[in-house]
Amino acid sequence: MSDAAARVRSKAGWFALDGRGVIGVRGGDRVRWTNGMVSNDVARLTPGATSSGCHALLLTAQGRILADLHVLAREDELWLELAHDALPDVLKRLERYVISDDVALSDQSSNWRRFALEGPRAPALLARVAGAPVAISLRSGVELWVADAAVFSCAWGWSGGSACQLF
């Protein structure tokens, strides 16, 4: 195990996630439409700290995996968070299925800087910069303020321990 990995597992680590992207799904039919496009039940998601996110897959008609996604329900849009290198093909494929639906898709990746805070001390560090403990259910997300800036924080990670994603 590298020194950096050992520090994340025993304390906390902060790192940029430049290789991730976000597709925004807006419009009045966004929930119904997205629910039909991915493998999980997006219709049950509600914005907020308890049930705003889920893991999902985008599949071919034959069941082959095209993309591994995190779906996040926000007040006026859904986010499909995925590997940035897969984003152009996924966006192009999804756009083919917007026919008469009130749905608008867009690449939101450049609108956000993306970081991860992971490790056993991550929740305490986030609470310190947010000014209060931040309670978020697994895979969900909430907006909070850090140093006079709006930050969207989500509860999932890559290290297997306590983690949050910060947009």
Side-chain angles (χ1 to χ4, degrees):
M1 181 182 306
S2 72
D3 288 345
R7 279 192 298 276
V8 170
R9 294 225 185 261
S10 66
K11 295 178 184 171
W14 168 268
F15 45 96
L17 293 171
D18 299 327
R20 305 299 294 174
V22 175
I23 295 172
V25 184
R26 298 184 70 89
D29 295 333
R30 70 185 176 278
V31 173
R32 180 194 52 77
W33 182 86
T34 305
N35 203 50
M37 294 291 116
V38 301
S39 66
N40 209 330
D41 184 7
V42 175
R44 70 172 177 77
L45 301 179
T46 57
T50 58
S51 61
S52 60
C54 67
H55 179 256
L57 299 172
L58 177 64
L59 305 170
T60 66
Q62 296 76 30
R64 291 190 179 95
I65 298 171
L66 295 171
D68 185 10
L69 311 165
H70 286 100
V71 181
L72 292 162
R74 302 201 62 203
E75 287 300 325
D76 295 324
E77 74 181 330
L78 294 173
W79 277 359
L80 306 179
E81 188 276 343
L82 68 163
H84 194 269
D85 60 351
L87 192 146
D89 290 338
V90 169
L91 187 56
K92 185 177 176 180
R93 176 176 282 273
L94 289 174
E95 286 172 339
R96 293 189 340 216
Y97 297 106
V98 178
I99 299 164
S100 62
D101 305 285
D102 179 15
V103 171
L105 302 170
S106 60
D107 181 350
Q108 296 292 312
S109 306
S110 64
N111 296 339
W112 300 93
R113 295 286 319 259
R114 181 77 184 284
F115 300 94
L117 177 61
E118 302 197 22
R121 295 190 56 215
L125 291 170
L126 182 61
R128 191 165 84 194
V129 298
V134 180
I136 310 170
S137 297
L138 186 60
R139 304 222 181 275
S140 292
V142 296
E143 192 165 311
L144 50 100
W145 288 91
V146 174
D148 295 326
V151 174
F152 195 72
S153 179
C154 303
W156 76 77
W158 310 103
S159 65
S162 295
C164 60
Q165 308 295 300
L166 301 166
F167 294 82

